[in-house]
Amino acid sequence: MTVPHKGVRGPLDGVRVVELAGIGPGPFAAMLLADLGADVVRVDRPGGAGLGIDPAYDLTNRNKRSVLVDLKAPEGPARVLDLVERADVLVEGYRPGVAERLGVGPEACHARNPRLVYGRMTGWGQDGPLAPRAGHDVAYIAVTGTLGMIGGPGEPPTVPANLVGDYAGGSLYLVTGVLAALHHARAHGTGQVVDAAIVDGAAHLATMIHGMLAAGGWQDRRGANLLDGGCPFYGTYETVDGGHMAVGALEQRFYDEFAALLGLAEAAGARADPARWGELRAAVAARFKSRTRAEWTAVFEGSDACVAPVLSLREAPHHPHLAARGTFTDHGGLTQPAPAPRFSATPTAVRSGPARPGADTEDVARDWDVPALLDDGTA
């Protein structure tokens, strides 16, 4: 059973969140709220629904508590609505209409709690021709133009894991909307529905680039622009040992330092001449290929050349800067990113490991004063 949260919890201490179990961006959004101090109760279904991994390793369920409720059982919706009556926020990631059919849609929830912020996480949104269709991150970012920007010229677009769609365009926008609606609810006494669609968020992420496109400062093709790897001083290069270095020497003063440390000071003039970028790229690549990643890391250490080694997931926690800041933390033997961002008055922390399905039913029933959760042994 999860240990009850004690001490400082973060800026959302006192906020109660009901999360209807799902996968991907919904649980990650609820984890963000939990990391910020909210009391997140995840409503898991009997039999489970997750990533197919051991729940003990599902870090998106950290800092949460879990109860089991079968929403398809006659008493299931009432159990959830009892929690909703005492909550500030609900998060769900079903296809449009599913929560309504299960009896826990916005109308039913607001009838019990008019102040509730009802957060909905989907790929296509609650309306539009594709709203009822299945989909995944790669399809959502494809239609927004976001995926089409990523990759080399003449090559298929590069899939950026599921970070740009699910988590940046989805989870982060849902949390932003929930917090804004929560502020409104506390000021005016009325809740509302937050429709967070990954297609909307992923499109919104490219706002600056749309401005550059309109101004003629961005070409609508891959690998031809300042920030997409099209220029030789903003991209990645292979080292002799098969590692890679990342270069972001955009401003003149940073580029000058980069060129000097790389040993290409004589090619400094090529920076301002796109016609010579191919020549410059080849020269930069040859220089990086002459030493190991560790050697180049040492060369650029302490400089303003805007160069960094490309680390793997297992290497990242050991980077000196990240280690000094505590960007990663260890809890229960699992190395994981620490909660972000940071707060001077209400610090956050990993308070508990991944919630095990149903493990916290007794505690939640007591703390939220919902004895009906204990009526049958599973819910």
Side-chain angles (χ1 to χ4, degrees), residues 18-189:
V18 173
E19 175 198 352
L20 302 184
I23 61 173
F28 188 79
M31 183 205 77
L32 285 172
L33 296 172
D35 281 356
L36 294 175
D39 182 6
V40 176
V41 171
R42 178 177 166 94
V43 178
D44 280 297
R45 67 193 72 174
L51 297 173
I53 64 173
D54 184 338
Y57 294 92
D58 189 350
L59 293 173
T60 61
N61 286 328
R62 72 185 186 189
N63 287 339
K64 302 177 184 178
R65 300 193 284 178
S66 171
V67 301
L68 288 181
V69 175
D70 184 357
L71 276 169
K72 295 183 179 180
E75 72 282 358
R79 300 284 188 269
V80 171
L81 292 175
D82 284 344
L83 290 169
V84 163
E85 187 174 341
R86 295 155 175 81
D88 301 288
V89 176
L90 179 143
V91 172
E92 61 95 355
Y94 299 137
R95 290 200 207 188
V98 172
E100 285 83 350
R101 291 197 298 273
L102 291 171
V104 292
E107 186 175 350
C109 289
H110 283 140
R112 291 287 290 272
N113 182 357
R115 298 171 62 93
L116 181 77
V117 173
Y118 196 106
R120 316 198 82 164
M121 182 76 263
T122 61
W124 302 116
Q126 296 299 312
D127 53 42
L130 292 176
R133 301 277 72 83
H136 276 297
D137 173 291
V138 68
Y140 307 140
I141 65 174
V143 300
T144 62
T146 309
L147 179 60
M149 292 190 295
I150 305 171
E155 300 175 357
T158 299
V159 179
N162 66 329
L163 302 177
V164 174
D166 280 351
Y167 298 129
S171 303
L172 296 184
Y173 279 86
L174 176 60
V175 170
T176 299
V178 162
L179 294 180
L182 184 61
H183 173 76
H184 179 272
R186 291 186 165 180
H188 302 283

Side-chain angles (χ1 to χ4, degrees), residues 197-368:
I198 294 172
V199 289
D200 297 344
H204 193 263
L205 287 170
T207 299
M208 180 193 76
I209 292 174
H210 277 279
M212 295 173 68
L213 182 67
W218 188 275
Q219 298 183 57
D220 197 11
R221 55 192 178 92
R222 287 186 299 284
N225 299 286
L226 195 63
L227 301 174
D228 65 356
C231 77
F233 42 92
Y234 196 88
T236 58
Y237 291 91
E238 186 176 5
T239 56
V240 70
D241 57 342
H244 292 84
M245 299 295 291
V247 177
L250 291 175
E251 293 82 356
Q252 182 68 57
R253 65 185 185 279
F254 302 149
Y255 176 81
D256 290 342
E257 189 165 354
F258 160 69
L261 289 172
L262 191 67
L264 286 178
E266 72 281 359
R271 174 186 182 276
D273 184 3
R276 296 182 60 193
W277 277 5
E279 165 198 338
L280 179 58
R281 184 186 304 281
V284 171
R287 287 295 296 148
F288 273 119
K289 207 65 182 291
S290 69
R291 298 187 187 182
T292 66
R293 190 186 71 177
E295 289 172 330
W296 283 119
T297 299
V299 167
F300 289 103
E301 186 71 27
S303 76
D304 278 343
C306 302
V307 176
V310 178
L311 302 183
S312 72
L313 291 174
R314 293 191 186 278
E315 290 176 317
H318 304 290
H319 186 276
H321 180 79
L322 305 186
R325 280 185 59 81
T327 299
F328 291 84
T329 188
D330 185 280
H331 187 280
L334 296 177
T335 300
Q336 57 197 279
R342 305 181 185 199
F343 300 86
S344 61
T346 54
T348 58
V350 178
R351 305 181 303 275
S352 61
R356 311 298 178 90
D360 307 290
T361 302
E362 287 187 28
D363 288 346
V364 173
R366 180 192 65 243
D367 296 345
W368 285 42

